[in-house]
Amino acid sequence: KAGVTQTPRYLIKTRGQQVTLSCSPISGHRSVSWYQQTPGQGLQFLFEYFSETQRNKGNFPGRFSGRQFSNSRSEMNVSTLELGDSALYLCASSLEGQSTGELFFGEGSRLTVL
Amino acid sequence: ILNVEQSPQSLHVQEGDSTNFTCSFPSSNFYALHWYRWETAKSPEALFVMTLNGDEKKKGRISATLNTKEGYSYLYIKGSQPEDSATYLCAFLGGTASKLTFGTGTRLQVTL
């Protein structure tokens, strides 16, 4: 059974640009959550998608957005990049959502903003 | 803002030592408590999902307990091995079950 796949694994952008990250969940999982990790911080919740609908959202500015497709694959987009957006972005999938059991994480996309 | 704290921040033990870490979380409005192990250059991997006060879970040499009334969970590792070296994360899910709030983790290093 294939795990959660995130692409790209590494990317470098400059301030003001925008970036799109992709996450393919485990087959059969309908929930995808996104997290940001910066040095010294715990994983910060960005948003959760379930059946193509955003179900929950964390405390991030509107520059951070996401979507989920009918095959449960999800993308997140960050517009007008800032230096502080440099981070590891993790996505996690689960059968029905965070309230129903463990999350399965991808290896992350490491974004560097110069 | 929910406060999930883990202690210690880091820990260095020798092979064969037993060790434990603490996760503190709000004692009200509890839904679930997750534990994950995160090895360097890999993805976080679930260890336990705990939902009931007094719950005790075990997986091999690793076990966890839960006290929802006082808001803490302990993770124990018996006879640590070098392959146990990782960051151990706990995550709290509150009553509305809307989002997991993660602690900053305990980084364990086990040496020979």
Side-chain angles (χ1 to χ4, degrees):
Chain A
K1 193 173 183 181
V4 178
T5 305
Q6 290 190 245
T7 56
R9 292 290 313 280
Y10 302 91
L11 65 167
I12 299 174
K13 294 284 187 178
T14 55
R15 277 182 299 175
Q17 287 188 310
Q18 67 97 30
V19 67
T20 299
L21 309 177
S22 178
C23 173
S24 294
I26 289 172
S27 178
H29 285 192
R30 295 199 288 165
S31 168
V32 173
S33 301
W34 288 90
Y35 294 85
Q36 180 198 64
Q37 195 204 29
T38 50
Q41 298 280 322
L43 295 177
Q44 302 291 312
F45 173 74
L46 282 155
F47 23 67
E48 180 190 10
Y49 285 87
F50 181 81
S51 293
E52 302 180 66
T53 302
Q54 187 180 88
R55 191 152 68 171
N56 291 299
K57 190 177 188 312
N59 299 322
F60 279 81
R63 299 184 298 107
F64 291 81
S65 63
R67 59 179 174 167
Q68 188 180 33
F69 303 94
S70 57
N71 61 359
S72 293
R73 189 177 71 85
S74 176
E75 288 181 347
M76 67 163 279
N77 185 76
V78 189
S79 62
T80 321
L81 284 165
E82 301 177 358
L83 295 179
D85 297 333
S86 294
L88 179 68
Y89 291 88
L90 286 169
C91 87
S93 76
S94 62
L95 277 168
E96 299 283 329
Q98 297 176 114
S99 63
T100 59
E102 64 188 275
L103 301 183
F104 294 82
F105 283 88
E107 292 184 316
S109 293
R110 185 167 293 282
L111 170 66
T112 302
V113 182
L114 302 175
Chain B
I1 296 177
L2 292 175
N3 209 17
V4 179
E5 294 185 352
Q6 291 188 248
S7 62
Q9 198 170 22
S10 65
L11 195 52
H12 194 155
V13 302
Q14 293 204 309
E15 183 181 14
D17 288 349
S18 293
T19 187
N20 64 85
F21 337 125
T22 305
C23 173
S24 300
F25 50 85
S27 56
S28 60
N29 228 18
F30 176 87
Y31 191 94
L33 194 282
H34 293 213
W35 280 100
Y36 291 86
R37 175 169 63 195
W38 194 358
E39 294 179 66
T40 303
K42 294 188 178 178
S43 50
E45 182 184 305
L47 288 171
F48 307 113
V49 176
M50 308 177 82
T51 56
L52 298 175
N53 185 42
D55 231 358
E56 289 189 30
K57 298 223 173 183
K58 189 174 180 188
K59 186 183 283 189
R61 294 179 292 98
I62 303 177
S63 60
T65 60
L66 178 68
N67 184 324
T68 62
K69 294 189 188 309
E70 295 182 41
Y72 65 83
S73 175
Y74 293 137
L75 188 79
Y76 301 91
I77 302 179
K78 187 177 175 183
S80 303
Q81 299 296 310
E83 57 265 31
D84 296 328
S85 297
T87 296
Y88 291 82
L89 299 171
C90 70
F92 168 80
L93 192 61
T96 57
S98 62
K99 64 172 187 176
L100 277 169
T101 300
F102 280 82
T104 52
T106 292
R107 186 171 180 172
L108 172 67
Q109 190 169 356
V110 183
T111 51
L112 295 170

